[in-house]
Amino acid sequence: MEPLLAVLGIPLAGAAVLALTGHRSIARDINAGASLATFLASCLLATTVASRGPYLVWADEFFIDPLNVFLVVLTAFVGLTTALFSRPYMRVESDNAKMTPPRLRLYHSMYQLFTFTMLLALTTNNVGILWVAMEAATLSTVLLVSVYRTAASLEAAWKYFILCGVGIAQALFGTVLLYMASEKLISAEAGALLWTNLDAIKAQLDPTVITLAFAFLFVGYGTKVGLVPLHNWLPDAHAEGPTPVSAVLSGLLLNVALYALLRFKVLTDGALGPGLAGQLMIVFGLLSVLAAAFFLSRQRDVKRMFAYSSIEHMGLITFAFGIGGPVATFAGLLHMTVHSLIKSAIFFAVGHATQVAGTQVMEDIRGLVKTSPTIGWGLMLGSLAILGMPPFGVFASEFLILTTAMREVPWSTPLLLLALGVAFAAVFGKVLPMVFGETNLNSPAHPPALIPVFVHVALGLMLGLYVPPFLAQWYREAARMVGG
């Protein structure tokens, strides 16, 4: 059987089952079981690509290569660990009457549907289906963000829906322009929207139309990435939605949107040369790093603070891909991986900490290491890792990005160093008293699910010391396709 069928079919079937049974206590186990099966199917898909190389399936509508297959595995893995974390988390939310049975059914079914839409966006070869999948991911996460039905969560969901809806409309217009450029060379029947066909004739695409198309695509998908100044939805969505939703938004959805941009960057570079796309990504990536670093120092809500941290890191990854070349692109892919792992681990720890404290205000969360050492140390280690302390993987990727920037865009180096220094001081200064301050908290009502936290942190540490050969080979092949 084609492993892609299982990768896409399991979460879709899980969503249908949980739409009927998601309010029952067994739903937590069904959600975790479906996520485990999806992860195993993604590993099978990765081994298939490793043995066969890139390949097309189902009338060339789906395309699997080293660039998307490692993101498929990463998405499925973080989806699995987040589902495991959400089991005790949602039990506490139910005990506190924040999650009623209808809300639980909505949460579990939309979680699996969200997983399906992300995997569909990653694996499709049709840029039209890619747009549809991203729109479906937006709609499913709007429902997840608003699941508490408080005034603040509904406002955050509406802001998310409106801003990302406007953004995704720009992406649709860019997709239409791309079709206009390609249908002169490829008939609609031959697949004028298939990315592999577009890649084959990218040098022949009309430069004027492609320039306009990429501008609209960059605005559209850049909104989903959270690039400044299109980022306003992201902090509210993270702060007001359930913490498992924050974990998958930061760890997965931002990656998928950036993946879409990378696919279009390849086409634009082929038509125009490595100029427009790279310059846009450098400028807006650097702007995002700088703006987010200074916003970090003003935050009082712990989830909003780490949401701005996600904007900072996605800006840094975008900056790396904008530089291009094998080293910067390799560093960008490595940073995507470790950011997904570490940031989701941080949100796991933050989720349990806010449940223990009954608040997300950092001044009211003190002495975690005394009341719950595992939560406290998980938050501390995750924060050190995401701030780029050696020997964690974020340090390795940031070092590669900085050294490449010194050579390729030297004017940006002091700005990057300033932003990273401000971000370090802001986050470390706020997390330290949360972990080691005078305690004002009680012990958790239920044992927290912290194995995912330490597994993610351990993987982030490993990637700073040693990148497995198969993963390094994926990175190199993907970097060759994206960055030349």
Side-chain angles (χ1 to χ4, degrees):
M1 184 183 74
E2 169 56 48
L4 181 60
L5 180 61
V7 169
L8 297 177
I10 292 170
L12 188 60
V17 171
L18 288 167
L20 301 174
T21 62
H23 60 291
R24 300 178 181 174
S25 58
I26 197 175
R28 295 190 293 265
D29 298 322
I30 296 174
N31 191 42
S35 298
L36 174 60
T38 302
F39 172 63
L40 294 175
S42 72
C43 292
L44 180 60
L45 182 65
T47 58
T48 303
V49 172
S51 60
R52 291 173 52 181
Y55 68 98
L56 294 156
V57 292
W58 301 335
D60 295 348
E61 291 293 329
F62 289 83
F63 176 57
I64 315 299
D65 67 357
L67 175 59
N68 60 15
V69 77
F70 101 85
L71 287 173
V72 167
V73 175
L74 180 64
T75 299
F77 176 72
V78 175
L80 167 61
T81 54
T82 305
L84 294 174
F85 155 73
S86 74
R87 293 175 73 252
Y89 181 89
M90 283 301 168
R91 181 165 49 180
V92 173
E93 297 295 88
S94 298
D95 292 346
N96 294 337
K98 295 182 72 174
M99 292 296 288
T100 61
R103 292 177 189 174
L104 282 171
R105 183 167 59 242
L106 177 66
Y107 167 78
H108 286 121
S109 59
M110 287 300 104
Y111 184 90
Q112 287 298 316
L113 185 62
F114 177 53
T115 302
F116 165 75
T117 57
M118 288 189 294
L119 294 172
L120 178 63
L122 288 172
T123 55
T124 183
N125 188 36
N126 189 311
V127 296
I129 296 177
L130 170 63
W131 181 88
V132 171
M134 293 300 297
E135 177 71 358
T138 300
L139 295 176
S140 59
T141 44
V142 163
L143 295 174
L144 287 169
V145 168
S146 67
V147 73
Y148 287 141
R149 295 297 188 269
T150 63
S153 67
L154 290 172
E155 180 185 351
W158 270 110
K159 182 185 287 188
Y160 175 32
F161 176 71
I162 296 298
L163 291 178
C164 287
V166 171
I168 209 72
Q170 308 302 308
L172 176 61
F173 190 60
T175 304
V176 171
L177 288 172
L178 185 61
Y179 176 78
M180 285 176 55
S182 66
E183 60 93 21
K184 300 174 183 176
L185 305 168
I186 308 169
S187 67
E189 294 77 10
L193 283 177
L194 297 183
W195 185 86
T196 48
N197 291 347
L198 291 166
D199 186 52
I201 53 96
K202 60 189 176 186
Q204 305 171 48
L205 296 172
D206 187 322
T208 303
V209 178
I210 292 299
T211 300
L212 286 172
F214 186 78
F216 281 102
L217 290 164
F218 185 80
V219 171
Y221 289 111
T223 303
K224 299 286 291 184
V225 176
L227 297 178
V228 173
L230 311 168
H231 67 287
N232 290 329
W233 64 271
L234 197 150
D236 289 340
H238 280 66
E240 302 304 333
T243 304
V245 177
S246 303
V248 292
L249 278 175
S250 264
L252 300 179
L253 182 61
L254 305 185
N255 279 357
V256 176
L258 187 52
Y259 160 82
L261 272 183
L262 289 179
R263 288 294 194 193
F264 294 118
K265 178 182 182 292
V266 171
L267 301 178
T268 306
D269 287 347
L272 306 176
L276 172 71
Q279 289 169 6
L280 279 175
M281 296 178 83
I282 287 173
V283 170
F284 284 95
L286 184 59
L287 177 63
S288 300
V289 176
L290 285 166
F294 286 96
F295 275 122
L296 279 168
S297 61
R298 301 175 52 193
Q299 302 309 310
R300 298 179 65 245
D301 183 300
V302 63
K303 289 174 69 176
R304 287 183 69 90
M305 180 179 73
F306 284 112
Y308 277 107
S309 172
S310 294
I311 295 171
E312 177 208 357
H313 284 279
M314 295 312 294
L316 189 60
I317 297 167
T318 303
F319 175 83
F321 288 134
I323 294 174
V327 177
T329 308
F330 183 100
L333 293 168
L334 176 61
H335 203 93
M336 285 177 81
T337 307
V338 291
H339 176 259
S340 293
L341 294 170
I342 300 299
K343 186 56 62 64
S344 53
I346 289 172
F347 275 115
F348 298 161
V350 164
H352 287 309
T354 55
Q355 283 185 331
V356 170
T359 179
Q360 294 177 192
V361 178
M362 287 180 278
E363 288 85 348
D364 297 332
I365 305 173
R366 291 290 185 268
L368 284 169
V369 78
K370 298 176 183 176
T371 55
S372 180
T374 50
I375 295 176
W377 281 112
L379 178 57
M380 192 73 244
L381 290 173
S383 298
L384 290 173
I386 207 64
L387 290 172
M389 286 293 287
F392 289 100
V394 174
F395 170 78
S397 57
E398 286 183 350
F399 180 80
L400 288 172
I401 293 169
L402 279 168
T403 52
T404 308
M406 289 177 188
R407 185 178 68 252
E408 301 294 338
V409 279
W411 59 267
S412 68
T413 307
L415 297 175
L416 283 174
L417 290 172
L418 172 65
L420 294 174
V422 170
F424 186 97
V427 174
F428 190 73
K430 293 176 184 296
V431 169
L432 200 63
M434 291 175 62
V435 175
F436 296 110
E438 288 298 319
T439 184
N440 60 352
L441 306 175
N442 298 317
S443 298
H446 296 285
L450 288 170
I451 291 177
V453 175
F454 292 104
V455 168
H456 283 211
V457 171
L459 289 172
L461 177 62
M462 181 196 75
L463 291 173
L465 299 170
Y466 170 73
V467 179
F470 69 90
L471 187 58
Q473 182 62 26
W474 276 350
Y475 287 159
R476 282 192 291 268
E477 291 182 10
R480 203 158 36 241
M481 293 188 310
V482 174

